[in-house]
Amino acid sequence: MTSRTAPSRSQGRKVLLSSLIGSTVEWYEFFVYGTAASLVFSDLFFPSADPLTGTLLSLSTFAIAFVARPVGGAIFGHFGDRLGRKSMLVLTLTLMGGATFAIGLLPTYEQIGIGAPLLLVLVRLVQGLSLGGEYGGAVLMSVEHAEPHKRGLYGAIVNTGVGWGLLLANLMFLALAQLPDGAFHSWGWRVPFLFSAVLVALGLFIRMKVDESPDFAAVKRSGDVAKAPLMQVLRHHSGLVVLMCLAYVATGAVFYIGTVFSLGYGTDHLGIDKSAMLGAVMAATALTLVAIPFFGRWSDRSVRFRKGLFLSGVAGMIVLPFPWFALLDTGSYALALVGFVLLFTAWSATYAAMPTFFAHVFPVEVRYTGLSAGYTLGTVLGGGFAPMIATYLLDRTGHWSAIALYLMLAGVVSFLAACFLRERADEPAVGNLAVKANAVR
């Protein structure tokens, strides 16, 4: 058995920076689409539909990328466990960047008819495939390069890429919202997509300069590289995939309803100014940029404490959707902001502990595949359809209570599933794959 070679502190920091920048770029591009889907795409790509149907169709293209995520996770996870983490991360960033830039050049329904939404669906599939492989690789590169007492912090910092990406996307749209409606609908919405080319170039420059994961390098030296990682995961660890998927559901549902659905709900249903809603989401996002590293550093106290922190955050997400909606419904910006702070503090605790907790659920030889499979399937159930479900529930009931109940039930499912997951932190980085192929504990 070949042991893991500890990376230098400087190399670990360089890898952390590259993963954070890459994750920020990926999520910026993803949220630019989510914001545009909520604000303008129903008019530009589905104009013949009634308002509700147009909104649902627009959000369905947002969900399509989530459906593609598990496929991307399986593909990039397989090759990430076979060939290495670094090469897959370069490829995912290139694909995501190309697809996002292409959206900025797409003709609208008025220009080419049905071809416009079809092209939109195609590039969304490419985005989903690339993001499906991005998260697992970025987390593993950072956590596997980290010193043992900093793994929770490193994983949490990578997860702040979601906040940085969302903040950057909302800042872009907040600036463009100052344009006259005609200019925004004509060309303004394209700017954030085209700007992604600059961010992608920066991300690729950083990623090309980092070393491969020491855990994967050790596996490769030992000859323990899995020949068929996906089959190994399905055969020996399918239960863990299901549990990880369900453990993520609440995190995804709360986040996407809080950052995507809330924009349309606040502006269309409550009559709140678009800039005010974007500002509230940005303020909550800024909070997560501080809270996630704080909770991540705190999670390094022990493996058991990290799991407890994850469960505590989920427990908060079970009860807090009700006061969040109630405060938002007052129409007061200050009270709405309090609701966002409460909800996203609980979310931050779970999201900070999640990357390192999830990264060590599977043996290292199939870690990329297992993590990507469980996480991406969770994003489909918890995130991809959450805005659509919330929109449907609001239309059917006319009140937010049904949506809050939906989030509560998602939290209960996630809490119960997470109770059965454990970190393999006490196992060596490299070992006999047959010995490690254990059933769910």
Side-chain angles (χ1 to χ4, degrees):
M1 180 173 71
T2 303
S3 62
R4 177 188 193 269
T5 302
S8 66
R9 184 174 299 178
S10 62
Q11 178 63 206
R13 290 173 178 172
K14 183 188 297 184
V15 170
L16 177 61
L17 177 61
S18 70
S19 293
L20 174 59
I21 292 176
S23 179
T24 299
V25 171
E26 294 273 355
W27 284 108
Y28 162 79
E29 295 169 339
F30 206 71
F31 291 131
V32 159
Y33 185 92
T35 304
S38 293
L39 299 179
V40 298
F41 278 2
S42 60
D43 295 330
L44 295 174
F45 292 92
F46 308 99
S48 60
D50 64 80
L52 173 62
T53 304
T55 300
L56 288 173
L57 287 173
S58 178
L59 291 175
S60 71
T61 60
F62 183 78
I64 284 171
F66 284 87
V67 176
R69 275 188 180 189
V71 180
I75 294 172
F76 292 109
H78 170 85
F79 288 105
D81 282 326
R82 291 280 297 156
L83 305 177
R85 295 25 170 154
K86 176 181 174 179
S87 58
M88 293 302 103
L89 289 176
V90 170
L91 183 55
T92 57
L93 185 59
T94 302
L95 288 173
M96 185 75 170
T100 305
F101 188 81
I103 291 176
L105 301 176
L106 285 181
T108 64
Y109 187 92
E110 184 179 357
Q111 294 171 312
I112 64 170
I114 192 63
L118 292 178
L119 288 173
L120 186 63
V121 169
L122 177 62
V123 293
R124 284 298 289 159
L125 287 173
V126 175
Q127 279 188 320
L129 289 171
S130 62
L131 192 56
E134 164 67 22
Y135 182 79
V139 165
L140 293 182
M141 277 289 282
S142 296
V143 171
E144 291 176 349
H145 270 278
E147 300 169 79
H149 65 285
K150 292 184 177 180
R151 287 174 178 169
L153 175 62
Y154 274 40
I157 289 176
V158 173
N159 263 13
T160 63
V162 177
W164 289 115
L166 178 59
L167 187 64
L168 186 58
N170 280 346
L171 280 172
M172 184 71 71
F173 274 101
L174 188 61
L176 292 169
Q178 309 310 312
L179 292 171
D181 286 344
F184 182 75
H185 279 72
S186 176
W187 59 268
W189 68 270
R190 299 180 184 273
V191 174
F193 294 98
L194 299 177
F195 177 72
S196 68
V198 177
L199 300 178
V200 169
L202 175 62
L204 288 174
F205 176 78
I206 298 294
R207 283 197 169 171
M208 294 296 291
K209 293 181 175 294
V210 302
D211 294 340
E212 180 56 83
S213 157
D215 280 12
F216 177 78
V219 170
K220 192 172 182 179
R221 286 195 301 271
S222 72
D224 278 339
V225 175
K227 295 181 179 180
L230 182 58
M231 292 306 299
Q232 292 285 359
V233 168
L234 294 177
R235 183 177 303 160
H236 300 294
H237 307 288
S238 57
L240 291 177
V241 171
V242 173
L243 288 174
M244 183 178 289
C245 164
L246 296 177
Y248 175 80
V249 165
T251 306
V254 166
F255 185 78
Y256 287 104
I257 287 179
T259 60
V260 176
F261 169 79
S262 67
L263 293 176
Y265 177 76
T267 56
D268 299 334
H269 192 74
L270 301 179
I272 300 176
D273 182 73
K274 180 167 57 179
S275 296
M277 282 304 304
L278 286 171
V281 172
M282 286 169 56
T285 302
L287 166 72
T288 69
L289 296 177
V290 177
I292 290 175
F294 170 78
F295 285 124
R297 185 68 185 90
W298 203 19
S299 77
D300 279 318
R301 291 179 59 182
S302 70
V303 169
R304 180 175 296 179
F305 184 83
R306 182 155 44 238
K307 180 176 179 178
L309 183 62
F310 181 94
L311 291 171
S312 297
V314 174
M317 289 186 286
I318 291 174
V319 299
L320 287 173
F322 293 92
W324 174 63
F325 269 111
L327 291 170
L328 185 60
D329 256 30
T330 64
S332 166
Y333 179 80
L335 292 177
L337 191 57
V338 170
F340 273 102
V341 168
L342 291 173
L343 185 65
F344 278 90
T345 296
W347 178 87
S348 295
T350 292
Y351 203 59
M354 186 183 79
T356 306
F357 178 31
F358 280 10
H360 292 98
V361 165
F362 296 92
V364 64
E365 294 91 344
V366 294
R367 188 177 284 167
Y368 198 154
T369 304
L371 172 59
S372 296
Y375 170 76
T376 55
L377 287 172
T379 62
V380 174
L381 291 181
F385 296 100
M388 292 178 62
I389 292 173
T391 300
Y392 175 79
L393 291 174
L394 181 64
D395 179 68
R396 296 295 296 175
T397 66
H399 196 263
W400 55 261
S401 57
I403 306 172
L405 181 61
Y406 159 64
L407 291 175
M408 184 188 75
L409 293 176
V412 171
V413 170
S414 290
F415 188 93
L416 294 176
C419 287
F420 293 94
L421 291 175
R422 71 173 184 88
E423 286 191 41
R424 296 170 179 261
D426 57 334
E427 295 185 1
V430 180
N432 188 304
L433 185 60
V435 173
K436 286 189 175 183
N438 299 319
V440 178
R441 299 182 185 183

